Amino acid sequence: MTSLSSKNIWIQRQQCPCGDWKCFVAYEGNNEETTVASQLAKAKAASAEAMVVPYVGMVFKSDDDAFEYYGNFARKNGFSIRKERSRLSPQLGIYKRDFVCYRSGFAPVRKKPSGEHHRDRKSVRCGCDAKMYLSKEVVEGISQWCVVQFSNVHNHELLEDDQVRLLPAYRKIHEADQERILLLSKAGFPIHHIVKVLELEKGIQGGQLPFLERDVRNFIQNRKKVVQENDALLNEKRENDIMELLEACKASKEADEGFCFDCSVDDNDKLEHIAWSYGDSVNAYTMFGDVVHFDTSYRSITYGMLFGAWFGIDSNGRMIIFGCVLLQDEAPRSFAWALQSFVQFMRGRSPQTILTDLDPGLRDAVRGKLPNTKHITCIWNISPKVSSWFTVPLGCQYAEFRSEFDALHCVENTEDFELRWNEMVSRFGLGSDKHIALLYSIRTSWALCYTRGHFLARMTTVAFFRSVESFLKGIFSSNACLRSFFDQVGITANFQNQSHLEMQCMPSKACIPMEEHASSILTPFAFNALQNELVLAMQYAMSELADGSYLLHHYKKMDGDCLVMWMPEEEQIHCSCKEFESSGILCRHALSVFIRKNYFQLPGKYFITRWRRESSRTCYDEPAPQDSDNEWFREYQSLSESLFTESSLTRGRTNYVRRELMKEVKRILEEVRSMPEIDGVAVDLTLSPTGRSF
């Protein structure tokens, strides 16, 4: 009997954030989890293409390529194949391969046991002579496989397209469907109901699944037997592997003082959660910890643990790994523990903004543990779920709905959003839909009209999303035990955190002094963003209003004007698009005003620290001080930056902060001067609050 695999298998979480355990999410773009409808469409498209019949002399790079090619040919022509024989030599290894029709040969004659009931199942083998034999050759040191015999003559009837898919070779239950089947079976669903649920969820007609009802029954029965026989052994292996992971964390702590980890145990004194971070990650957080993306999209089937990782973006636009966590479940208290551990690793400093998935438990944890942090759900965490939710109920209307939903995400003001949202819900009859209700309840975390103005450090771009996705797929591609997985994550994280980009010279596009000045201050990544805004600034017309503000209008667009407030005394500028507040890069509208005001250089306040060239050097090259005397300096810097950002929005705020801040500074200064000058402890002031420009 086949035993349960000891490999560590990771899959994307499929539990729907709506809270209904019967509902699940299929991710777009995942080959293992695409809908059966799309698979059938691809199969029909492939069958429509001309396929070369194998012939003697045909060459393949490997025997696996040859088997795959012959298998595709067989499926298109109404039969399946199997591997018959192989020949081995000490010099070449396997040098011959025989692939034959599934009905090749004859079944061996077996004697029936006496006194026992024996089911006489007729064999499908009928001596078919269809085959493809290959031989391995080495040409100029390169191995290749050549077809030496081929026959496509069958002595049996070939199957039609709707029948060939039912052959055992083509009936497969993918891992995502396996998990869903086991969940429904555990809930008490009979086999035929499980099949019906899968058909409805995938939006296909009855009987179009890539497996049969009896395959589902056999899978459930076999899995139950495997679990019963291996449960005790697997639990022991899990505990041993988790303890090895804990020992690996302790060893990493001894080798690197900057490494930090934390763990918790359950009521039975068994480890349930473990989180860790690296010295370089903690140092990077001091500079780039203003915005954090917490990804919890993968979990291990083997260990039953959820993997979470905290990501950031540095001054060169590269992804940073701040820390990782393994959780035993997806309960709010588990997420709360993870967030609390992360803040502890980062010396008590919470991020300004955190980006997460839609998970309701995670949202509750963020609200409880990070009350002063803005919680954002990026649109690329929502988009993959929309098709799973609305493709089946909307049918042919889905494309129109998706277009309207995507447009709603970009609506500029809340009044228009509310109006158009209600119109969309009414037009498509989604008033009672639970997923629409979920999206509306969290609209302040994903709709641009609600999130605009909160600092995101350009972490909502497609480029950043792809870098995170690439990292996760890379570490989950190998089925390794927890200890090996931990080592692999560490190697990848250290490589990401320590690799630096060269400060290359960026070519001029706008050809103005302001551009040249910015190129000497900003990193190439930030300068490229500003440069693009400078080029687009030339396309706007400017009209001065009675109150001294300016209306910016694009020469092609009839609406979408932006209002820019300009305060020349303080060289203060504020645009209604709030791009600077969101990304730290001035928008094209504000730049257009500066250009027309004959500025050769932008004021220094608009080159924030995280995008300056020196930030990429000092972040990793100069470790952050470890002693507690310097903790208040970092807190002072964080509060000062937040105060500056908030006070710069209006002139009233600026005047208030200036007035009140001067009072408080004078009061504190008088109290400090009245204190004793000597207390026996010298404080290192090499890190000064004024030593970091903003």
Side-chain angles (χ1 to χ4, degrees), residues 326-376:
L326 284 168
L327 302 172
Q328 285 286 3
D329 54 46
E330 303 168 20
R333 57 177 290 274
S334 299
F335 288 126
W337 180 91
L339 294 173
Q340 183 176 350
S341 298
F342 175 72
V343 173
Q344 180 183 345
F345 294 161
M346 303 306 157
R347 306 187 181 111
R349 180 186 168 194
S350 301
Q352 294 180 31
T353 310
I354 187 168
L355 285 71
T356 75
D357 200 348
L358 288 169
D359 191 289
L362 183 52
R363 296 186 64 83
D364 292 341
V366 171
R367 191 180 301 113
K369 293 299 179 180
L370 304 175
N372 299 321
T373 299
K374 174 62 178 178
H375 190 185
I376 298 290

Side-chain angles (χ1 to χ4, degrees), residues 78-82 100-104 124-125 156 159 167:
F79 66 102
S80 66
I81 62 172
R82 58 183 169 85
V100 298
C101 174
Y102 77 112
R103 302 194 68 175
S104 173
V124 298
R125 299 191 180 186
H156 56 89
L159 304 177
L167 292 175

Side-chain angles (χ1 to χ4, degrees), residues 193-475:
H193 282 178
I194 293 176
V195 172
K196 187 64 177 177
V197 168
L198 292 174
E199 290 172 346
L200 291 174
E201 289 176 340
K202 295 175 183 295
I204 61 175
Q205 297 179 352
Q208 292 299 309
L209 289 169
F211 45 83
L212 303 178
E213 186 175 307
R214 68 169 176 265
D215 297 322
V216 177
R217 180 178 292 103
N218 292 337
F219 167 72
I220 293 175
Q221 292 176 349
N222 292 337
R223 182 54 64 92
K224 285 181 178 179
K225 292 179 182 178
V226 169
V227 170
Q228 291 172 357
E229 294 178 0
N230 296 280
D231 191 52
L233 182 62
L234 183 57
N235 286 336
E236 182 180 356
K237 181 183 185 308
R238 286 174 177 169
E239 292 180 14
N240 292 337
D241 286 355
I242 290 174
M243 292 309 298
E244 283 188 13
L245 174 62
L246 184 59
E247 293 300 321
C249 288
K250 293 178 180 178
S252 297
K253 179 66 176 177
E254 293 178 0
D256 176 14
E257 293 184 358
F259 182 89
C260 46
F261 73 98
D262 191 15
C263 60
S264 68
V265 295
D266 57 19
D267 296 336
N268 298 320
D269 290 331
K270 293 183 179 180
L271 189 142
E272 58 176 355
H273 312 312
I274 184 167
W276 67 92
S277 183
Y278 309 93
D280 286 337
S281 299
V282 176
N283 293 337
Y285 188 85
T286 61
M287 181 67 70
F288 306 118
D290 40 19
V291 186
V292 171
H293 167 55
F294 186 33
D295 189 282
T296 56
S297 55
Y298 281 86
R299 69 182 186 87
S300 170
I301 295 180
T302 308
Y303 296 96
M305 303 187 80
L306 178 73
F307 176 78
W310 292 276
F311 299 98
I313 188 171
D314 70 4
S315 57
N316 290 305
R318 294 179 301 111
M319 182 192 74
I320 313 171
I321 298 94
F322 287 137
C324 305
V325 65
L326 284 168
L327 302 172
Q328 285 286 3
D329 54 46
E330 303 168 20
R333 57 177 290 274
S334 299
F335 288 126
W337 180 91
L339 294 173
Q340 183 176 350
S341 298
F342 175 72
V343 173
Q344 180 183 345
F345 294 161
M346 303 306 157
R347 306 187 181 111
R349 180 186 168 194
S350 301
Q352 294 180 31
T353 310
I354 187 168
L355 285 71
T356 75
D357 200 348
L358 288 169
D359 191 289
L362 183 52
R363 296 186 64 83
D364 292 341
V366 171
R367 191 180 301 113
K369 293 299 179 180
L370 304 175
N372 299 321
T373 299
K374 174 62 178 178
H375 190 185
I376 298 290
T377 301
C378 189
I379 192 64
W380 38 257
N381 282 123
I382 296 176
S383 295
K385 301 175 176 62
V386 172
S387 61
S388 289
W389 289 341
F390 301 110
T391 301
V392 174
L394 292 179
C396 60
Q397 289 185 301
Y398 172 74
E400 184 182 357
F401 164 81
R402 184 60 185 266
S403 177
E404 178 65 21
F405 177 81
D406 292 341
L408 266 173
H409 170 251
C410 301
V411 169
E412 294 188 355
N413 62 73
T414 57
E415 292 79 9
D416 287 347
F417 177 88
E418 297 290 339
L419 179 62
R420 291 180 59 177
W421 180 271
N422 291 332
E423 291 176 352
M424 180 188 72
V425 172
S426 176
R427 183 171 13 134
F428 294 102
L430 298 172
S432 60
D433 187 271
K434 59 186 177 183
H435 299 119
I436 281 289
L438 171 65
L439 289 173
Y440 184 74
S441 67
I442 62 169
R443 63 193 182 282
T444 57
S445 70
W446 62 268
L448 286 182
C449 58
Y450 291 101
T451 62
R452 184 181 288 114
H454 294 280
F455 192 61
L456 300 174
R458 305 185 71 83
M459 282 176 57
T460 58
T461 62
V462 174
F464 181 80
F465 166 68
R466 286 177 177 171
S467 65
V468 171
E469 189 178 44
S470 176
F471 170 81
L472 293 174
K473 287 185 177 180
I475 63 174

Side-chain angles (χ1 to χ4, degrees), residues 149-215:
Q149 287 190 54
F150 176 75
S151 172
N152 197 33
V153 178
H154 300 265
N155 64 353
H156 56 89
E157 200 174 318
L158 298 178
L159 304 177
E160 297 295 331
D161 185 58
D162 61 336
Q163 296 174 315
V164 71
R165 68 180 183 83
L166 301 178
L167 292 175
Y170 305 127
R171 300 203 313 261
K172 295 181 180 179
I173 305 178
H174 294 298
E175 291 176 0
D177 290 328
Q178 291 179 14
E179 182 190 17
R180 190 68 178 149
I181 289 170
L182 292 176
L183 179 64
L184 294 172
S185 175
K186 189 176 181 179
F189 278 57
I191 303 298
H192 65 283
H193 282 178
I194 293 176
V195 172
K196 187 64 177 177
V197 168
L198 292 174
E199 290 172 346
L200 291 174
E201 289 176 340
K202 295 175 183 295
I204 61 175
Q205 297 179 352
Q208 292 299 309
L209 289 169
F211 45 83
L212 303 178
E213 186 175 307
R214 68 169 176 265
D215 297 322

